[in-house]
Amino acid sequence: MKKIVLSLLACAMFAVAANAQTAIEGKKFFDNWSVGLNVGGATPLHNGSFHPVIGIGVDKKLNTVVGFGLEFTSAF
């Protein structure tokens, strides 16, 4: 009984995984975008005070190798 249940479970998992494979239909402009937020701090090595740093970035991947991004970082 245990082997039958495990076999049926394995077959069901394989069927779900096989159904998830789809053909690539082409890229749209709004595909593969990402937005990031950076937060941190900076301090000089000698006689300096701590400065908080915050940044935001936007990236677009054109394919698996090529992409471009824009990032802005500011210290207070």
Side-chain angles (χ1 to χ4, degrees):
M1 180 70 178
K2 186 176 177 182
K3 289 182 183 180
I4 293 173
V5 172
L6 289 176
S7 298
L8 290 174
L9 182 62
C11 289
M13 289 173 46
F14 179 74
V16 170
N19 190 24
Q21 307 300 320
T22 59
I24 297 174
E25 296 178 3
K27 298 176 191 168
K28 298 180 179 123
F29 178 73
F30 292 106
D31 290 345
N32 300 325
W33 283 89
S34 63
V35 177
L37 178 66
N38 303 323
V39 179
T43 184
L45 291 176
H46 299 289
N47 300 330
S49 61
F50 178 81
H51 299 286
V53 177
I54 189 167
I56 189 166
V58 178
D59 297 321
K60 167 73 171 148
K61 292 288 277 186
L62 300 176
N63 56 35
T64 57
V65 178
V66 179
F68 61 89
L70 181 65
E71 186 171 328
F72 174 75
T73 304
S74 178
F76 301 101

